[in-house]
Amino acid sequence: MSTHPQPDPGDWAIAIHGGAGAIPRDLPEERKEACLAALRRILASGRRLLADGAAALDVVEAVARLLEDEPMFNAGRGAVFTRDGRHELEASIMDGVTGRCGSVSNLETVRNPVSLARLLMDRTPHVMIAGAGAERFADDMGVERVHNEWFDTPHRREEFERVGGFDPVLQEGSTIGVVARDEAGGLAAATSTGGMNGKMPGRVGDTPIHGAGNWADDGCAVSCTGHGEEFVRHAAALRIATGLGTAGTLSESIHDVLSGMPAEVGGVIAVGTEGPPVLSFTSQGMYRGCADASGRSTVAIWEDMT
Ligand code: ASP
């Protein structure tokens, strides 16, 4: 039996992120406005779905697909480059109601990795699949495929050429994530990424690792962004969830975990069984937005934006 308080009926909430990182304050106006507009548009879709009574699991998948398709963010189209100039995508999804989860890694041709992760969860006994086997699973499922170059954008190519592809770096804004609480109180999380700019081919980050970059149970749903290796070392998402028992509130639990990690490591979005979503980061900025049944709806990039 759940030890967490039961939510009020109709008390839905959603948070999204488009990645944390060293997002410069002098971000070109055009890019800033385009990112905020994309966040607003995609958040509105999630809001509508939840207000219409959709299940959190379906909402996080649907909204993550929109974020993957948005070239501003490092997931799906707009993914960063590996050291050898290709794209390798990863994603995960978790249903807090049933505890089921699925994740995919090292994908090169799947347009919406989050949906392949959902299919793995729904249609197979497995929780993670990678590389050639994952591409074969995509063949079997008939999901939409694209050429690897389809994920290219001029912005990511310029970023890649600037760092020379030598040391993997956290780009100025990255990974996407969605957490939601539905009208029935169900929680779910989805996270999707191209990883880190200049990463080694075959590298696996925190995004597809359950409990590191993504987690949902009956107490909270969590999606992380930032330096993946650190989120794996700290089992960040799972520790935020288990920390709820001692920390008291979701924001305290997130603070406890982030403050034990290296400075400027990244950020987290989370939603609990009640109250507004929590969006927290230690990096310079995090593309983000949240909304809930009270009518609140907001998008932001840096700390002092409301
Ligand atoms: N966490 C992602 C990774 O390390 C990157 C990011 O969030 O920007 O693959």
Side-chain angles (χ1 to χ4, degrees), residues 198-215:
K199 68 183 182 180
M200 280 173 65
R203 177 260 190 185
V204 178
D206 59 319
T207 299
I209 299 182
H210 305 291
N214 200 65
W215 183 259

Side-chain angles (χ1 to χ4, degrees), residues 20 74 90 170-171 174-175 193 195-196 203 205-207 225-228:
N74 167 26
E90 348 189 77
L170 201 56
Q171 45 294 324
S174 32
T175 300
T193 192
M196 286 173 77
R203 177 260 190 185
D206 59 319
T207 299
T225 167
H227 192 149

Side-chain angles (χ1 to χ4, degrees), residues 33-117:
E33 287 312 321
C35 286
L36 289 172
L39 289 169
R40 260 184 227 110
R41 175 175 52 79
I42 293 170
L43 184 63
S45 302
R47 233 170 38 211
R48 276 195 297 276
L49 287 169
L50 285 165
D52 286 349
L57 182 63
D58 295 332
V59 173
V60 297
E61 182 191 355
V63 174
R65 285 176 65 98
L66 295 175
L67 286 159
E68 286 177 339
D69 281 346
E70 171 50 64
M72 295 287 165
F73 305 122
N74 167 26
R77 189 150 209 210
V80 294
F81 288 87
T82 61
R83 185 190 288 179
D84 60 2
R86 291 182 64 75
H87 305 280
E88 291 184 3
L89 313 176
E90 348 189 77
S92 59
I93 190 163
M94 188 158 187
D95 180 12
V97 178
T98 59
R100 293 180 312 135
C101 56
S103 75
V104 289
S105 186
N106 306 123
L107 293 179
E108 297 204 342
T109 66
V110 175
R111 174 172 172 166
N112 291 111
V114 71
S115 289
L116 195 65

Side-chain angles (χ1 to χ4, degrees), residues 6-298:
Q6 295 305 301
D8 294 337
D11 183 20
W12 58 264
I14 182 169
I16 63 176
H17 72 72
I23 308 173
R25 286 276 178 174
D26 59 356
L27 195 65
E29 200 55 27
E30 203 183 316
R31 183 166 173 80
K32 183 179 103 179
E33 287 312 321
C35 286
L36 289 172
L39 289 169
R40 260 184 227 110
R41 175 175 52 79
I42 293 170
L43 184 63
S45 302
R47 233 170 38 211
R48 276 195 297 276
L49 287 169
L50 285 165
D52 286 349
L57 182 63
D58 295 332
V59 173
V60 297
E61 182 191 355
V63 174
R65 285 176 65 98
L66 295 175
L67 286 159
E68 286 177 339
D69 281 346
E70 171 50 64
M72 295 287 165
F73 305 122
N74 167 26
R77 189 150 209 210
V80 294
F81 288 87
T82 61
R83 185 190 288 179
D84 60 2
R86 291 182 64 75
H87 305 280
E88 291 184 3
L89 313 176
E90 348 189 77
S92 59
I93 190 163
M94 188 158 187
D95 180 12
V97 178
T98 59
R100 293 180 312 135
C101 56
S103 75
V104 289
S105 186
N106 306 123
L107 293 179
E108 297 204 342
T109 66
V110 175
R111 174 172 172 166
N112 291 111
V114 71
S115 289
L116 195 65
R118 172 87 190 259
L119 286 165
L120 186 78
M121 177 179 107
D122 286 347
R123 308 269 182 93
T124 81
H126 303 306
V127 295
M128 292 180 81
I129 196 165
E135 297 276 341
R136 275 209 301 277
F137 177 58
D139 290 341
D140 296 345
M141 292 293 110
V143 299
E144 187 176 350
R145 314 295 279 284
V146 291
H147 289 294
N148 195 254
E149 302 74 43
W150 183 84
F151 298 110
D152 286 13
T153 58
H155 178 74
R156 293 298 175 206
R157 185 162 291 283
E158 187 269 316
E159 239 177 22
F160 176 63
E161 281 164 5
R162 194 158 11 101
V163 299
F166 293 123
D167 287 320
V169 292
L170 201 56
Q171 45 294 324
E172 114 298 83
S174 32
T175 300
I176 66 91
V178 190
V179 293
R181 176 178 69 230
D182 60 33
E183 283 192 345
L187 303 171
T191 308
S192 182
T193 192
M196 286 173 77
N197 190 5
K199 68 183 182 180
M200 280 173 65
R203 177 260 190 185
V204 178
D206 59 319
T207 299
I209 299 182
H210 305 291
N214 200 65
W215 183 259
D217 58 22
D218 63 352
C220 65
V222 181
S223 171
C224 303
T225 167
H227 192 149
E229 281 71 8
E230 295 299 338
F231 283 84
V232 174
R233 284 187 193 110
H234 289 261
L238 178 62
R239 284 183 49 236
I240 288 167
T242 55
L244 260 181
T246 44
T249 68
L250 193 51
S251 28
E252 281 162 348
S253 186
I254 291 172
H255 177 265
D256 289 350
V257 172
L258 281 181
S259 61
M261 296 174 73
E264 309 208 358
V265 72
V268 172
I269 58 170
V271 67
T273 55
E274 57 187 4
V278 180
L279 301 89
S280 187
F281 55 98
T282 56
S283 50
Q284 210 167 323
M286 178 166 79
Y287 296 107
R288 63 197 190 280
C290 66
D292 60 33
S294 73
R296 163 197 160 105
S297 182
T298 175

